[in-house]
PDB file of all heavy atoms in Angstrom:
ATOM      1  N   ALA A   1       3.568   7.365  -7.381  1.00  0.00           N
ATOM      2  CA  ALA A   1       3.047   6.421  -6.396  1.00  0.00           C
ATOM      3  C   ALA A   1       1.691   5.918  -6.859  1.00  0.00           C
ATOM      4  O   ALA A   1       0.776   5.751  -6.073  1.00  0.00           O
ATOM      5  CB  ALA A   1       2.944   7.096  -5.036  1.00  0.00           C
ATOM      6  N   GLU A   2       1.573   5.714  -8.174  1.00  0.00           N
ATOM      7  CA  GLU A   2       0.302   5.247  -8.714  1.00  0.00           C
ATOM      8  C   GLU A   2       0.102   3.775  -8.398  1.00  0.00           C
ATOM      9  O   GLU A   2       0.988   2.954  -8.625  1.00  0.00           O
ATOM     10  CB  GLU A   2       0.246   5.464 -10.230  1.00  0.00           C
ATOM     11  CG  GLU A   2       0.221   6.921 -10.639  1.00  0.00           C
ATOM     12  CD  GLU A   2       0.105   7.075 -12.140  1.00  0.00           C
ATOM     13  OE1 GLU A   2      -1.018   6.957 -12.662  1.00  0.00           O
ATOM     14  OE2 GLU A   2       1.144   7.298 -12.788  1.00  0.00           O
ATOM     15  N   MET A   3      -1.055   3.456  -7.906  1.00  0.00           N
ATOM     16  CA  MET A   3      -1.425   2.078  -7.621  1.00  0.00           C
ATOM     17  C   MET A   3      -2.319   1.601  -8.758  1.00  0.00           C
ATOM     18  O   MET A   3      -3.403   2.149  -8.972  1.00  0.00           O
ATOM     19  CB  MET A   3      -2.135   1.984  -6.278  1.00  0.00           C
ATOM     20  CG  MET A   3      -1.318   2.482  -5.096  1.00  0.00           C
ATOM     21  SD  MET A   3       0.122   1.448  -4.739  1.00  0.00           S
ATOM     22  CE  MET A   3      -0.687  -0.012  -4.091  1.00  0.00           C
ATOM     23  N   ILE A   4      -1.860   0.601  -9.483  1.00  0.00           N
ATOM     24  CA  ILE A   4      -2.557   0.135 -10.684  1.00  0.00           C
ATOM     25  C   ILE A   4      -3.103  -1.262 -10.445  1.00  0.00           C
ATOM     26  O   ILE A   4      -2.355  -2.182 -10.093  1.00  0.00           O
ATOM     27  CB  ILE A   4      -1.619   0.120 -11.911  1.00  0.00           C
ATOM     28  CG1 ILE A   4      -0.963   1.494 -12.099  1.00  0.00           C
ATOM     29  CG2 ILE A   4      -2.380  -0.300 -13.167  1.00  0.00           C
ATOM     30  CD1 ILE A   4      -1.924   2.612 -12.356  1.00  0.00           C
ATOM     31  N   GLY A   5      -4.396  -1.445 -10.657  1.00  0.00           N
ATOM     32  CA  GLY A   5      -4.990  -2.769 -10.524  1.00  0.00           C
ATOM     33  C   GLY A   5      -6.448  -2.693 -10.131  1.00  0.00           C
ATOM     34  O   GLY A   5      -6.962  -1.625  -9.770  1.00  0.00           O
ATOM     35  N   SER A   6      -7.123  -3.833 -10.219  1.00  0.00           N
ATOM     36  CA  SER A   6      -8.535  -3.907  -9.838  1.00  0.00           C
ATOM     37  C   SER A   6      -8.901  -5.269  -9.266  1.00  0.00           C
ATOM     38  O   SER A   6     -10.061  -5.516  -8.965  1.00  0.00           O
ATOM     39  CB  SER A   6      -9.423  -3.591 -11.050  1.00  0.00           C
ATOM     40  OG  SER A   6      -9.113  -4.461 -12.142  1.00  0.00           O
ATOM     41  N   SER A   7      -7.929  -6.167  -9.122  1.00  0.00           N
ATOM     42  CA  SER A   7      -8.200  -7.504  -8.593  1.00  0.00           C
ATOM     43  C   SER A   7      -8.580  -7.429  -7.120  1.00  0.00           C
ATOM     44  O   SER A   7      -8.368  -6.413  -6.453  1.00  0.00           O
ATOM     45  CB  SER A   7      -6.975  -8.397  -8.762  1.00  0.00           C
ATOM     46  OG  SER A   7      -5.890  -7.905  -7.977  1.00  0.00           O
ATOM     47  N   ALA A   8      -9.130  -8.517  -6.615  1.00  0.00           N
ATOM     48  CA  ALA A   8      -9.548  -8.553  -5.214  1.00  0.00           C
ATOM     49  C   ALA A   8      -8.363  -8.363  -4.275  1.00  0.00           C
ATOM     50  O   ALA A   8      -8.453  -7.620  -3.288  1.00  0.00           O
ATOM     51  CB  ALA A   8     -10.258  -9.872  -4.922  1.00  0.00           C
ATOM     52  N   SER A   9      -7.246  -9.021  -4.562  1.00  0.00           N
ATOM     53  CA  SER A   9      -6.087  -8.892  -3.681  1.00  0.00           C
ATOM     54  C   SER A   9      -5.520  -7.477  -3.726  1.00  0.00           C
ATOM     55  O   SER A   9      -5.042  -6.943  -2.715  1.00  0.00           O
ATOM     56  CB  SER A   9      -5.006  -9.906  -4.063  1.00  0.00           C
ATOM     57  OG  SER A   9      -4.611  -9.737  -5.410  1.00  0.00           O
ATOM     58  N   PHE A  10      -5.582  -6.841  -4.920  1.00  0.00           N
ATOM     59  CA  PHE A  10      -5.106  -5.466  -5.037  1.00  0.00           C
ATOM     60  C   PHE A  10      -6.020  -4.515  -4.265  1.00  0.00           C
ATOM     61  O   PHE A  10      -5.543  -3.606  -3.572  1.00  0.00           O
ATOM     62  CB  PHE A  10      -5.038  -5.054  -6.505  1.00  0.00           C
ATOM     63  CG  PHE A  10      -4.677  -3.613  -6.718  1.00  0.00           C
ATOM     64  CD1 PHE A  10      -3.364  -3.197  -6.654  1.00  0.00           C
ATOM     65  CD2 PHE A  10      -5.661  -2.660  -6.963  1.00  0.00           C
ATOM     66  CE1 PHE A  10      -3.022  -1.866  -6.827  1.00  0.00           C
ATOM     67  CE2 PHE A  10      -5.336  -1.330  -7.146  1.00  0.00           C
ATOM     68  CZ  PHE A  10      -4.015  -0.935  -7.075  1.00  0.00           C
ATOM     69  N   ARG A  11      -7.318  -4.719  -4.367  1.00  0.00           N
ATOM     70  CA  ARG A  11      -8.252  -3.851  -3.638  1.00  0.00           C
ATOM     71  C   ARG A  11      -8.060  -3.993  -2.130  1.00  0.00           C
ATOM     72  O   ARG A  11      -8.177  -3.012  -1.383  1.00  0.00           O
ATOM     73  CB  ARG A  11      -9.694  -4.180  -4.034  1.00  0.00           C
ATOM     74  CG  ARG A  11     -10.044  -3.828  -5.474  1.00  0.00           C
ATOM     75  CD  ARG A  11     -11.554  -3.807  -5.681  1.00  0.00           C
ATOM     76  NE  ARG A  11     -12.187  -5.071  -5.327  1.00  0.00           N
ATOM     77  CZ  ARG A  11     -12.362  -6.091  -6.158  1.00  0.00           C
ATOM     78  NH1 ARG A  11     -11.909  -5.997  -7.417  1.00  0.00           N
ATOM     79  NH2 ARG A  11     -12.960  -7.197  -5.768  1.00  0.00           N
ATOM     80  N   THR A  12      -7.766  -5.201  -1.681  1.00  0.00           N
ATOM     81  CA  THR A  12      -7.479  -5.406  -0.260  1.00  0.00           C
ATOM     82  C   THR A  12      -6.242  -4.627   0.163  1.00  0.00           C
ATOM     83  O   THR A  12      -6.214  -3.995   1.223  1.00  0.00           O
ATOM     84  CB  THR A  12      -7.288  -6.900   0.041  1.00  0.00           C
ATOM     85  OG1 THR A  12      -8.492  -7.601  -0.273  1.00  0.00           O
ATOM     86  CG2 THR A  12      -6.933  -7.134   1.495  1.00  0.00           C
ATOM     87  N   LEU A  13      -5.203  -4.664  -0.677  1.00  0.00           N
ATOM     88  CA  LEU A  13      -3.969  -3.923  -0.383  1.00  0.00           C
ATOM     89  C   LEU A  13      -4.247  -2.430  -0.270  1.00  0.00           C
ATOM     90  O   LEU A  13      -3.841  -1.782   0.707  1.00  0.00           O
ATOM     91  CB  LEU A  13      -2.931  -4.183  -1.487  1.00  0.00           C
ATOM     92  CG  LEU A  13      -1.695  -3.275  -1.467  1.00  0.00           C
ATOM     93  CD1 LEU A  13      -0.889  -3.470  -0.194  1.00  0.00           C
ATOM     94  CD2 LEU A  13      -0.830  -3.520  -2.707  1.00  0.00           C
ATOM     95  N   VAL A  14      -4.927  -1.862  -1.248  1.00  0.00           N
ATOM     96  CA  VAL A  14      -5.189  -0.424  -1.245  1.00  0.00           C
ATOM     97  C   VAL A  14      -6.060  -0.036  -0.050  1.00  0.00           C
ATOM     98  O   VAL A  14      -5.847   1.002   0.583  1.00  0.00           O
ATOM     99  CB  VAL A  14      -5.852   0.009  -2.567  1.00  0.00           C
ATOM    100  CG1 VAL A  14      -6.275   1.481  -2.504  1.00  0.00           C
ATOM    101  CG2 VAL A  14      -4.889  -0.195  -3.727  1.00  0.00           C
ATOM    102  N   SER A  15      -7.019  -0.882   0.278  1.00  0.00           N
ATOM    103  CA  SER A  15      -7.865  -0.613   1.446  1.00  0.00           C
ATOM    104  C   SER A  15      -7.026  -0.540   2.717  1.00  0.00           C
ATOM    105  O   SER A  15      -7.217   0.355   3.554  1.00  0.00           O
ATOM    106  CB  SER A  15      -8.936  -1.702   1.576  1.00  0.00           C
ATOM    107  OG  SER A  15      -9.689  -1.533   2.750  1.00  0.00           O
ATOM    108  N   ASN A  16      -6.083  -1.457   2.859  1.00  0.00           N
ATOM    109  CA  ASN A  16      -5.216  -1.450   4.034  1.00  0.00           C
ATOM    110  C   ASN A  16      -4.301  -0.220   4.045  1.00  0.00           C
ATOM    111  O   ASN A  16      -4.054   0.379   5.103  1.00  0.00           O
ATOM    112  CB  ASN A  16      -4.380  -2.725   4.085  1.00  0.00           C
ATOM    113  CG  ASN A  16      -5.200  -3.954   4.427  1.00  0.00           C
ATOM    114  OD1 ASN A  16      -6.227  -3.854   5.099  1.00  0.00           O
ATOM    115  ND2 ASN A  16      -4.767  -5.117   3.969  1.00  0.00           N
ATOM    116  N   LEU A  17      -3.791   0.157   2.872  1.00  0.00           N
ATOM    117  CA  LEU A  17      -2.927   1.341   2.801  1.00  0.00           C
ATOM    118  C   LEU A  17      -3.707   2.605   3.152  1.00  0.00           C
ATOM    119  O   LEU A  17      -3.200   3.480   3.857  1.00  0.00           O
ATOM    120  CB  LEU A  17      -2.327   1.466   1.399  1.00  0.00           C
ATOM    121  CG  LEU A  17      -1.363   0.361   0.957  1.00  0.00           C
ATOM    122  CD1 LEU A  17      -0.910   0.598  -0.476  1.00  0.00           C
ATOM    123  CD2 LEU A  17      -0.156   0.271   1.874  1.00  0.00           C
ATOM    124  N   ASP A  18      -4.940   2.694   2.667  1.00  0.00           N
ATOM    125  CA  ASP A  18      -5.749   3.882   2.957  1.00  0.00           C
ATOM    126  C   ASP A  18      -6.011   4.032   4.454  1.00  0.00           C
ATOM    127  O   ASP A  18      -6.150   5.151   4.956  1.00  0.00           O
ATOM    128  CB  ASP A  18      -7.085   3.807   2.205  1.00  0.00           C
ATOM    129  CG  ASP A  18      -6.935   4.084   0.711  1.00  0.00           C
ATOM    130  OD1 ASP A  18      -5.922   4.714   0.335  1.00  0.00           O
ATOM    131  OD2 ASP A  18      -7.805   3.668  -0.070  1.00  0.00           O
ATOM    132  N   LYS A  19      -6.074   2.918   5.151  1.00  0.00           N
ATOM    133  CA  LYS A  19      -6.354   2.975   6.591  1.00  0.00           C
ATOM    134  C   LYS A  19      -5.189   3.566   7.389  1.00  0.00           C
ATOM    135  O   LYS A  19      -5.393   4.066   8.500  1.00  0.00           O
ATOM    136  CB  LYS A  19      -6.668   1.574   7.121  1.00  0.00           C
ATOM    137  CG  LYS A  19      -7.992   1.010   6.607  1.00  0.00           C
ATOM    138  CD  LYS A  19      -8.177  -0.431   7.058  1.00  0.00           C
ATOM    139  CE  LYS A  19      -9.464  -1.014   6.482  1.00  0.00           C
ATOM    140  NZ  LYS A  19      -9.628  -2.454   6.830  1.00  0.00           N
ATOM    141  N   VAL A  20      -3.977   3.499   6.836  1.00  0.00           N
ATOM    142  CA  VAL A  20      -2.813   3.971   7.597  1.00  0.00           C
ATOM    143  C   VAL A  20      -2.273   5.310   7.108  1.00  0.00           C
ATOM    144  O   VAL A  20      -1.358   5.860   7.718  1.00  0.00           O
ATOM    145  CB  VAL A  20      -1.665   2.935   7.568  1.00  0.00           C
ATOM    146  CG1 VAL A  20      -2.133   1.613   8.136  1.00  0.00           C
ATOM    147  CG2 VAL A  20      -1.122   2.741   6.153  1.00  0.00           C
ATOM    148  N   THR A  21      -2.839   5.860   6.022  1.00  0.00           N
ATOM    149  CA  THR A  21      -2.250   7.085   5.473  1.00  0.00           C
ATOM    150  C   THR A  21      -2.343   8.259   6.445  1.00  0.00           C
ATOM    151  O   THR A  21      -1.412   9.061   6.544  1.00  0.00           O
ATOM    152  CB  THR A  21      -2.931   7.471   4.146  1.00  0.00           C
ATOM    153  OG1 THR A  21      -4.351   7.534   4.342  1.00  0.00           O
ATOM    154  CG2 THR A  21      -2.615   6.463   3.067  1.00  0.00           C
ATOM    155  N   LYS A  22      -3.443   8.388   7.154  1.00  0.00           N
ATOM    156  CA  LYS A  22      -3.644   9.571   7.989  1.00  0.00           C
ATOM    157  C   LYS A  22      -3.084   9.429   9.394  1.00  0.00           C
ATOM    158  O   LYS A  22      -3.096  10.385  10.168  1.00  0.00           O
ATOM    159  CB  LYS A  22      -5.136   9.901   8.071  1.00  0.00           C
ATOM    160  CG  LYS A  22      -5.792  10.154   6.719  1.00  0.00           C
ATOM    161  CD  LYS A  22      -5.034  11.200   5.896  1.00  0.00           C
ATOM    162  CE  LYS A  22      -5.686  11.415   4.543  1.00  0.00           C
ATOM    163  NZ  LYS A  22      -4.888  12.337   3.695  1.00  0.00           N
ATOM    164  N   SER A  23      -2.596   8.260   9.726  1.00  0.00           N
ATOM    165  CA  SER A  23      -2.006   8.079  11.053  1.00  0.00           C
ATOM    166  C   SER A  23      -0.505   8.336  10.971  1.00  0.00           C
ATOM    167  O   SER A  23       0.032   8.638   9.911  1.00  0.00           O
ATOM    168  CB  SER A  23      -2.258   6.659  11.565  1.00  0.00           C
ATOM    169  OG  SER A  23      -1.415   5.732  10.892  1.00  0.00           O
ATOM    170  N   ASN A  24       0.155   8.215  12.102  1.00  0.00           N
ATOM    171  CA  ASN A  24       1.615   8.347  12.121  1.00  0.00           C
ATOM    172  C   ASN A  24       2.263   7.031  12.510  1.00  0.00           C
ATOM    173  O   ASN A  24       3.441   6.976  12.853  1.00  0.00           O
ATOM    174  CB  ASN A  24       2.033   9.449  13.106  1.00  0.00           C
ATOM    175  CG  ASN A  24       3.384  10.048  12.768  1.00  0.00           C
ATOM    176  OD1 ASN A  24       3.708  10.256  11.609  1.00  0.00           O
ATOM    177  ND2 ASN A  24       4.186  10.332  13.779  1.00  0.00           N
ATOM    178  N   GLY A  25       1.463   5.945  12.482  1.00  0.00           N
ATOM    179  CA  GLY A  25       1.953   4.639  12.896  1.00  0.00           C
ATOM    180  C   GLY A  25       2.994   4.065  11.947  1.00  0.00           C
ATOM    181  O   GLY A  25       2.977   4.332  10.749  1.00  0.00           O
ATOM    182  N   ARG A  26       3.890   3.278  12.498  1.00  0.00           N
ATOM    183  CA  ARG A  26       4.921   2.631  11.687  1.00  0.00           C
ATOM    184  C   ARG A  26       4.314   1.443  10.944  1.00  0.00           C
ATOM    185  O   ARG A  26       3.546   0.678  11.502  1.00  0.00           O
ATOM    186  CB  ARG A  26       6.086   2.178  12.569  1.00  0.00           C
ATOM    187  CG  ARG A  26       6.716   3.342  13.330  1.00  0.00           C
ATOM    188  CD  ARG A  26       7.932   2.915  14.137  1.00  0.00           C
ATOM    189  NE  ARG A  26       8.285   3.987  15.069  1.00  0.00           N
ATOM    190  CZ  ARG A  26       8.119   3.923  16.377  1.00  0.00           C
ATOM    191  NH1 ARG A  26       7.658   2.808  16.923  1.00  0.00           N
ATOM    192  NH2 ARG A  26       8.430   4.937  17.147  1.00  0.00           N
ATOM    193  N   VAL A  27       4.709   1.293   9.691  1.00  0.00           N
ATOM    194  CA  VAL A  27       4.141   0.269   8.818  1.00  0.00           C
ATOM    195  C   VAL A  27       5.248  -0.661   8.343  1.00  0.00           C
ATOM    196  O   VAL A  27       6.332  -0.209   7.964  1.00  0.00           O
ATOM    197  CB  VAL A  27       3.438   0.911   7.596  1.00  0.00           C
ATOM    198  CG1 VAL A  27       2.898  -0.161   6.659  1.00  0.00           C
ATOM    199  CG2 VAL A  27       2.319   1.831   8.054  1.00  0.00           C
ATOM    200  N   MET A  28       4.972  -1.964   8.366  1.00  0.00           N
ATOM    201  CA  MET A  28       5.896  -2.952   7.823  1.00  0.00           C
ATOM    202  C   MET A  28       5.239  -3.594   6.602  1.00  0.00           C
ATOM    203  O   MET A  28       4.200  -4.246   6.707  1.00  0.00           O
ATOM    204  CB  MET A  28       6.220  -4.025   8.862  1.00  0.00           C
ATOM    205  CG  MET A  28       7.081  -5.170   8.333  1.00  0.00           C
ATOM    206  SD  MET A  28       8.805  -4.702   8.024  1.00  0.00           S
ATOM    207  CE  MET A  28       9.420  -4.618   9.715  1.00  0.00           C
ATOM    208  N   LEU A  29       5.842  -3.401   5.421  1.00  0.00           N
ATOM    209  CA  LEU A  29       5.344  -3.974   4.181  1.00  0.00           C
ATOM    210  C   LEU A  29       6.112  -5.254   3.889  1.00  0.00           C
ATOM    211  O   LEU A  29       7.343  -5.253   3.823  1.00  0.00           O
ATOM    212  CB  LEU A  29       5.526  -2.987   3.026  1.00  0.00           C
ATOM    213  CG  LEU A  29       4.827  -1.630   3.192  1.00  0.00           C
ATOM    214  CD1 LEU A  29       5.327  -0.646   2.139  1.00  0.00           C
ATOM    215  CD2 LEU A  29       3.322  -1.788   3.097  1.00  0.00           C
ATOM    216  N   THR A  30       5.388  -6.363   3.719  1.00  0.00           N
ATOM    217  CA  THR A  30       6.037  -7.638   3.409  1.00  0.00           C
ATOM    218  C   THR A  30       5.540  -8.137   2.069  1.00  0.00           C
ATOM    219  O   THR A  30       4.372  -7.981   1.720  1.00  0.00           O
ATOM    220  CB  THR A  30       5.732  -8.690   4.491  1.00  0.00           C
ATOM    221  OG1 THR A  30       4.314  -8.878   4.589  1.00  0.00           O
ATOM    222  CG2 THR A  30       6.266  -8.250   5.843  1.00  0.00           C
ATOM    223  N   GLY A  31       6.445  -8.749   1.333  1.00  0.00           N
ATOM    224  CA  GLY A  31       6.098  -9.281   0.023  1.00  0.00           C
ATOM    225  C   GLY A  31       7.358  -9.612  -0.735  1.00  0.00           C
ATOM    226  O   GLY A  31       8.449  -9.150  -0.390  1.00  0.00           O
ATOM    227  N   PRO A  32       7.256 -10.411  -1.803  1.00  0.00           N
ATOM    228  CA  PRO A  32       8.445 -10.818  -2.553  1.00  0.00           C
ATOM    229  C   PRO A  32       9.088  -9.651  -3.287  1.00  0.00           C
ATOM    230  O   PRO A  32       8.456  -8.606  -3.498  1.00  0.00           O
ATOM    231  CB  PRO A  32       7.892 -11.863  -3.532  1.00  0.00           C
ATOM    232  CG  PRO A  32       6.447 -11.519  -3.679  1.00  0.00           C
ATOM    233  CD  PRO A  32       6.021 -10.998  -2.349  1.00  0.00           C
ATOM    234  N   ALA A  33      10.338  -9.823  -3.662  1.00  0.00           N
ATOM    235  CA  ALA A  33      11.073  -8.789  -4.385  1.00  0.00           C
ATOM    236  C   ALA A  33      10.357  -8.445  -5.682  1.00  0.00           C
ATOM    237  O   ALA A  33       9.907  -9.322  -6.413  1.00  0.00           O
ATOM    238  CB  ALA A  33      12.497  -9.263  -4.678  1.00  0.00           C
ATOM    239  N   GLY A  34      10.250  -7.143  -5.956  1.00  0.00           N
ATOM    240  CA  GLY A  34       9.639  -6.695  -7.192  1.00  0.00           C
ATOM    241  C   GLY A  34       8.135  -6.593  -7.159  1.00  0.00           C
ATOM    242  O   GLY A  34       7.511  -6.268  -8.177  1.00  0.00           O
ATOM    243  N   SER A  35       7.517  -6.824  -6.006  1.00  0.00           N
ATOM    244  CA  SER A  35       6.054  -6.820  -5.936  1.00  0.00           C
ATOM    245  C   SER A  35       5.466  -5.419  -5.808  1.00  0.00           C
ATOM    246  O   SER A  35       4.254  -5.244  -5.953  1.00  0.00           O
ATOM    247  CB  SER A  35       5.584  -7.690  -4.760  1.00  0.00           C
ATOM    248  OG  SER A  35       6.136  -7.233  -3.531  1.00  0.00           O
ATOM    249  N   GLY A  36       6.297  -4.414  -5.538  1.00  0.00           N
ATOM    250  CA  GLY A  36       5.804  -3.047  -5.460  1.00  0.00           C
ATOM    251  C   GLY A  36       5.728  -2.492  -4.062  1.00  0.00           C
ATOM    252  O   GLY A  36       4.896  -1.617  -3.781  1.00  0.00           O
ATOM    253  N   LYS A  37       6.602  -2.935  -3.166  1.00  0.00           N
ATOM    254  CA  LYS A  37       6.549  -2.457  -1.783  1.00  0.00           C
ATOM    255  C   LYS A  37       6.901  -0.973  -1.695  1.00  0.00           C
ATOM    256  O   LYS A  37       6.287  -0.236  -0.923  1.00  0.00           O
ATOM    257  CB  LYS A  37       7.493  -3.298  -0.914  1.00  0.00           C
ATOM    258  CG  LYS A  37       7.113  -4.780  -0.834  1.00  0.00           C
ATOM    259  CD  LYS A  37       7.942  -5.533   0.180  1.00  0.00           C
ATOM    260  CE  LYS A  37       9.392  -5.697  -0.231  1.00  0.00           C
ATOM    261  NZ  LYS A  37       9.564  -6.531  -1.442  1.00  0.00           N
ATOM    262  N   GLU A  38       7.874  -0.522  -2.489  1.00  0.00           N
ATOM    263  CA  GLU A  38       8.226   0.898  -2.427  1.00  0.00           C
ATOM    264  C   GLU A  38       7.105   1.769  -2.995  1.00  0.00           C
ATOM    265  O   GLU A  38       6.839   2.866  -2.486  1.00  0.00           O
ATOM    266  CB  GLU A  38       9.530   1.180  -3.175  1.00  0.00           C
ATOM    267  CG  GLU A  38       9.956   2.638  -3.061  1.00  0.00           C
ATOM    268  CD  GLU A  38      11.362   2.921  -3.554  1.00  0.00           C
ATOM    269  OE1 GLU A  38      12.133   1.960  -3.741  1.00  0.00           O
ATOM    270  OE2 GLU A  38      11.677   4.106  -3.753  1.00  0.00           O
ATOM    271  N   VAL A  39       6.443   1.296  -4.045  1.00  0.00           N
ATOM    272  CA  VAL A  39       5.302   2.044  -4.582  1.00  0.00           C
ATOM    273  C   VAL A  39       4.217   2.175  -3.517  1.00  0.00           C
ATOM    274  O   VAL A  39       3.595   3.232  -3.357  1.00  0.00           O
ATOM    275  CB  VAL A  39       4.740   1.355  -5.842  1.00  0.00           C
ATOM    276  CG1 VAL A  39       3.473   2.056  -6.320  1.00  0.00           C
ATOM    277  CG2 VAL A  39       5.773   1.352  -6.952  1.00  0.00           C
ATOM    278  N   ALA A  40       3.992   1.103  -2.756  1.00  0.00           N
ATOM    279  CA  ALA A  40       3.005   1.149  -1.673  1.00  0.00           C
ATOM    280  C   ALA A  40       3.428   2.158  -0.608  1.00  0.00           C
ATOM    281  O   ALA A  40       2.601   2.909  -0.080  1.00  0.00           O
ATOM    282  CB  ALA A  40       2.835  -0.239  -1.059  1.00  0.00           C
ATOM    283  N   ALA A  41       4.724   2.189  -0.284  1.00  0.00           N
ATOM    284  CA  ALA A  41       5.220   3.146   0.717  1.00  0.00           C
ATOM    285  C   ALA A  41       5.038   4.578   0.221  1.00  0.00           C
ATOM    286  O   ALA A  41       4.645   5.476   0.986  1.00  0.00           O
ATOM    287  CB  ALA A  41       6.691   2.869   1.028  1.00  0.00           C
ATOM    288  N   ARG A  42       5.311   4.813  -1.046  1.00  0.00           N
ATOM    289  CA  ARG A  42       5.145   6.152  -1.608  1.00  0.00           C
ATOM    290  C   ARG A  42       3.663   6.547  -1.663  1.00  0.00           C
ATOM    291  O   ARG A  42       3.319   7.730  -1.557  1.00  0.00           O
ATOM    292  CB  ARG A  42       5.771   6.228  -2.999  1.00  0.00           C
ATOM    293  CG  ARG A  42       7.297   6.143  -2.975  1.00  0.00           C
ATOM    294  CD  ARG A  42       7.894   6.269  -4.362  1.00  0.00           C
ATOM    295  NE  ARG A  42       9.344   6.126  -4.320  1.00  0.00           N
ATOM    296  CZ  ARG A  42      10.187   7.103  -4.018  1.00  0.00           C
ATOM    297  NH1 ARG A  42       9.722   8.307  -3.723  1.00  0.00           N
ATOM    298  NH2 ARG A  42      11.488   6.890  -4.001  1.00  0.00           N
ATOM    299  N   TYR A  43       2.801   5.569  -1.849  1.00  0.00           N
ATOM    300  CA  TYR A  43       1.364   5.842  -1.840  1.00  0.00           C
ATOM    301  C   TYR A  43       0.939   6.346  -0.458  1.00  0.00           C
ATOM    302  O   TYR A  43       0.160   7.289  -0.345  1.00  0.00           O
ATOM    303  CB  TYR A  43       0.601   4.570  -2.213  1.00  0.00           C
ATOM    304  CG  TYR A  43      -0.905   4.715  -2.203  1.00  0.00           C
ATOM    305  CD1 TYR A  43      -1.591   5.189  -3.321  1.00  0.00           C
ATOM    306  CD2 TYR A  43      -1.645   4.377  -1.069  1.00  0.00           C
ATOM    307  CE1 TYR A  43      -2.974   5.335  -3.312  1.00  0.00           C
ATOM    308  CE2 TYR A  43      -3.034   4.511  -1.053  1.00  0.00           C
ATOM    309  CZ  TYR A  43      -3.685   4.982  -2.177  1.00  0.00           C
ATOM    310  OH  TYR A  43      -5.053   5.122  -2.151  1.00  0.00           O
ATOM    311  N   ILE A  44       1.453   5.698   0.591  1.00  0.00           N
ATOM    312  CA  ILE A  44       1.162   6.155   1.951  1.00  0.00           C
ATOM    313  C   ILE A  44       1.628   7.594   2.125  1.00  0.00           C
ATOM    314  O   ILE A  44       0.903   8.456   2.634  1.00  0.00           O
ATOM    315  CB  ILE A  44       1.831   5.241   2.996  1.00  0.00           C
ATOM    316  CG1 ILE A  44       1.238   3.824   2.929  1.00  0.00           C
ATOM    317  CG2 ILE A  44       1.662   5.819   4.401  1.00  0.00           C
ATOM    318  CD1 ILE A  44       1.966   2.820   3.814  1.00  0.00           C
TER     319      ILE A  44
END
């Protein structure tokens, strides 16, 4: 579940993921096919 990147949009994504890791809230990941939605889910 490695998150690789340093761009502004990537940092925004990781910041949002970090905010939900410790909660039990349901998360909906949206994005085009192949963009890494499952990797983001595994990161959570």
Side-chain angles (χ1 to χ4, degrees):
E2 293 183 80
M3 301 293 289
I4 306 298
S6 56
S7 65
S9 58
F10 175 81
R11 293 196 303 271
T12 299
L13 169 63
V14 173
S15 175
N16 289 332
L17 295 177
D18 286 339
K19 292 174 183 176
V20 302
T21 53
K22 302 308 179 185
S23 75
N24 205 39
R26 302 184 193 109
V27 178
M28 175 72 75
L29 301 168
T30 59
S35 58
K37 297 188 291 295
E38 183 169 346
V39 174
R42 291 182 183 277
Y43 178 86
I44 295 173

